[in-house]
Amino acid sequence: MPRTEPRGARRRLSVPVRSRRFWGLQATILAIMTLHTLVLASLGGRDLAGIPAPLTSSLMLIPVLYAAVSFGAAGAMATATWATALFALHWLVVHRDPVTSAHLWIELVSMLVLAASGAVVGQRVDAERAARTRTEHALQQVAVAEARFHDLFEHQPSPVVVTDTEDVVLEANSAAHRLLGDAVVGQPLVLVAGHTTGDLLARDAPLPITAADGTVHQYMPSTHTLTDGNGRTVTQVVLADVSQEHRRREVQRAFTGRVLEAQEQERLHLSRELHDEPLQQLTYLTRNLDELGSDPRLPSDLAHPVHEGEDLARAASASLRHLIQGLRPPVLDDLGLVPALRQLAETVHGRAGLTVRVRTVGEMTRAPAEIELAVYRIAQEALTNAVKHAHARHVALEVEIGAGLVVTVRDDGQGFDLGRGGDGGLGLIGARERAERIGASLAVESRPGAGATIRVSVPLE
Ligand SMILES: Nc1ncnc2c1ncn2[C@@H]1O[C@H](COP(=O)(O)OP(=O)(O)O)[C@@H](O)[C@H]1O
Ligand SMILES: [Mg+2]
């Protein structure tokens, strides 16, 4: 907004020619002068009760000062000039007797005093007037700014409330009135919104608020604490309605959950199928080949291919067993998380060569199947990453059972930048998703060159 100079703030020396009062004053001076001339004429050279005639001019001080107070310096100067002109006319033209030099001096000094008084008082009045105009203009600007701010506050589509340090609502815009009810001002925020200002200050996730009409919306609060005009600390809370995003996220989460579930079902199904049919058949085949190989009736030239066949069948069933374990280790369902993790550690060691030390703390009990499965999958992902990305040599896998279940996988590999990590693949995203579904928290810590740690913690009732 460009700052405009208030009208009249600049000193303008203009004679108030449009003012009737001004012309009335000039007419009054003319009338006084006429009267003065008539009185002097009627006295015929005598003075009135000893008053010297020139002193009449000092009476003109009254209209000049009046002009100064009413119209400022310009008006006073114009009035003084007019009076001087009339006096000059009187003494030089109308007055019949010759004018003495003493008389002239008195008149001259009188007129100068008249002009100087008019100028001084008029200027003072002008300066005061200008100052008053400036103050009025500034106040007006403040009022305009305040009105604009209030308009913004009032018509902001998001509910906005201002609370004091005691959590009492001091102000609420119309959206906040619609959301929290008409009587929101003066009430503690916790009563009308179900959350204290402190809750909202600490919050960085959406929260549900039940509106006055009973509907529940999700709001993302943003808070701003400031000191108001009276020196009080107040908090402004803007509640952005994020219900739509929230719903979308819920749908997305439900979808991801179903996908994970379906994937687990499929894996379970496949692993059972592979276990029940091909693995059994391969085991049977291996035993048969073993019996055949050790049968003395076997011709010696057939012994080698039979042994080879037996080795092949054994290798195939080992591969199949690994595959089944990777899909869904039966030991997880049969014996639980810790034996399954031990088996996983052995498999990783056998395949990738790195040592995986498993340590348990607390009494090992079984946790609900879906928790065991999710934690197992997270540990599996951490071990895969330790092999695939970290190129680690040692991994420490720790299982703690107490009030909750905490599994930590720490590798001594190359580590990664958390700021950019995780966007490379779906592994950590999937781990987070699984953790969220069982109410667990997942922490990933890593720095380039300093290894990586993944910890999943689930509270157990
Ligand atoms: N233990 C680790 N050591 C070093 N880098 C890792 C580790 N775990 C994850 N990363 C980094 O994080 C990225 C994402 O990992 P992840 O989500 O598991 O994806 P991916 O499916 O590629 O394994 C990887 O590409 C890798 O750069
Ligand atoms: Mg991975």
Side-chain angles (χ1 to χ4, degrees):
M1 182 179 68
R3 285 186 64 97
T4 51
E5 191 67 15
R7 285 183 65 211
R10 242 175 287 132
R11 302 275 181 90
R12 281 178 303 142
L13 282 181
S14 62
V15 180
V17 288
R18 299 236 178 106
S19 165
R20 281 185 176 201
R21 226 153 34 95
F22 177 73
W23 290 117
L25 187 65
Q26 310 313 315
T28 309
I29 291 174
L30 182 63
I32 293 172
M33 278 312 295
T34 312
L35 194 68
H36 171 241
T37 304
L38 290 177
V39 167
L40 282 188
S42 72
L43 288 175
R46 287 168 291 132
D47 58 6
L48 182 64
I51 302 171
L55 269 193
T56 337
S57 57
S58 56
L59 277 180
M60 282 301 153
L61 202 56
I62 296 167
V64 169
L65 286 183
Y66 176 78
V69 170
S70 304
F71 310 110
M77 295 304 283
T79 308
T81 309
W82 174 233
T84 309
L86 287 180
F87 270 104
L89 196 71
H90 171 83
W91 291 118
L92 299 178
V93 181
V94 184
H95 198 70
R96 282 171 303 179
D97 305 325
V99 180
T100 65
S101 68
H103 191 155
L104 255 186
W105 273 115
I106 294 174
E107 284 297 343
L108 210 60
V109 171
S110 271
M111 291 303 135
L112 278 177
V113 168
L114 214 58
S117 318
V120 169
V121 175
Q123 256 176 9
R124 210 45 257 144
V125 169
D126 280 345
E128 244 153 53
R129 242 180 229 172
R132 198 171 55 220
T133 313
R134 270 198 300 275
T135 312
E136 271 168 12
H137 183 73
L139 282 177
Q140 207 177 349
Q141 278 189 333
V142 168
V144 167
E146 225 164 55
R148 268 194 204 151
F149 171 75
H150 194 258
D151 218 40
L152 268 180
F153 174 78
E154 199 50 37
H155 294 113
Q156 150 92 258
S158 295
V160 185
V161 292
V162 177
T163 58
D164 65 8
T165 45
E166 307 287 304
D167 196 41
V168 172
V169 177
L170 301 173
E171 269 183 87
N173 69 352
S174 46
H177 277 115
R178 278 196 298 279
L179 174 67
L180 304 170
D182 289 331
V184 52
V185 172
Q187 304 238 39
L189 186 65
V190 69
L191 273 190
V192 287
H195 309 273
T196 63
T197 310
D199 286 348
L200 303 186
L201 275 169
R203 188 97 187 171
D204 63 349
L207 48 87
I209 294 180
T210 310
D213 65 4
T215 55
V216 180
H217 285 242
Q218 296 288 333
Y219 288 94
M220 188 69 197
S222 57
T223 52
H224 184 56
T225 299
L226 64 158
T227 309
D228 77 354
N230 306 322
R232 289 177 303 187
T233 301
V234 298
T235 304
Q236 189 190 54
V237 183
V238 180
L239 296 164
D241 190 339
V242 292
S243 305
Q244 278 196 349
E245 289 89 324
H246 189 78
R247 259 196 298 281
R248 249 198 305 271
R249 171 94 186 107
E250 295 277 273
V251 169
Q252 209 174 42
R253 194 174 291 171
F255 177 75
T256 318
R258 295 259 175 84
V259 170
L260 285 176
E261 225 166 78
Q263 191 190 45
E264 287 299 344
Q265 285 299 325
E266 198 54 36
R267 282 176 167 184
L268 181 65
H269 174 72
L270 255 177
S271 80
R272 285 199 177 142
E273 289 284 306
L274 289 175
H275 184 269
D276 292 348
E277 292 266 330
L279 189 62
Q280 300 312 316
Q281 288 161 346
L282 269 175
T283 311
Y284 186 64
L285 179 65
T286 315
R287 212 172 45 234
N288 275 359
L289 285 172
D290 181 38
E291 275 170 17
L292 190 62
S294 49
D295 194 324
R297 289 168 295 168
L298 184 74
S300 58
D301 55 335
L302 287 184
H304 182 67
V306 167
H307 283 304
E308 221 173 41
E310 187 198 332
D311 287 346
L312 217 62
R314 222 183 277 284
S317 52
S319 300
L320 201 54
R321 234 182 270 279
H322 275 143
L323 192 64
I324 291 168
Q325 261 171 36
L327 282 170
R328 175 76 168 244
V331 60
L332 179 65
D333 295 306
D334 300 342
L335 301 176
L337 182 64
V338 175
L341 287 176
R342 283 191 199 284
Q343 195 183 58
L344 178 67
E346 265 164 41
T347 310
V348 169
H349 172 67
R351 282 191 169 173
L354 78 173
T355 55
V356 184
R357 200 161 48 85
V358 181
R359 201 167 78 94
T360 58
V361 179
E363 199 191 329
M364 294 302 118
T365 50
R366 298 281 317 247
E370 87 221 63
I371 291 183
E372 287 195 330
L373 178 60
V375 172
Y376 179 83
R377 291 291 182 216
I378 293 169
Q380 195 176 26
E381 176 61 31
L383 280 170
T384 309
N385 282 352
V387 173
K388 194 166 94 176
H389 303 301
H391 309 295
R393 288 190 299 136
H394 303 280
V395 174
L397 201 163
E398 196 176 272
V399 185
E400 293 172 63
I401 300 190
L405 168 65
V406 181
V407 173
T408 311
V409 182
R410 186 178 296 115
D411 71 53
D412 65 350
Q414 63 188 28
F416 66 110
D417 186 355
L418 281 174
R420 292 185 294 143
D423 43 39
L426 290 175
L428 291 178
I429 295 176
R432 224 167 259 294
E433 213 49 67
R434 286 182 193 274
E436 216 164 89
R437 281 176 62 75
I438 54 165
S441 64
L442 186 84
V444 182
E445 289 163 27
S446 188
R447 259 185 306 119
T453 304
I454 286 196
R455 176 179 294 115
V456 54
S457 330
V458 211
L460 295 175
E461 272 92 336

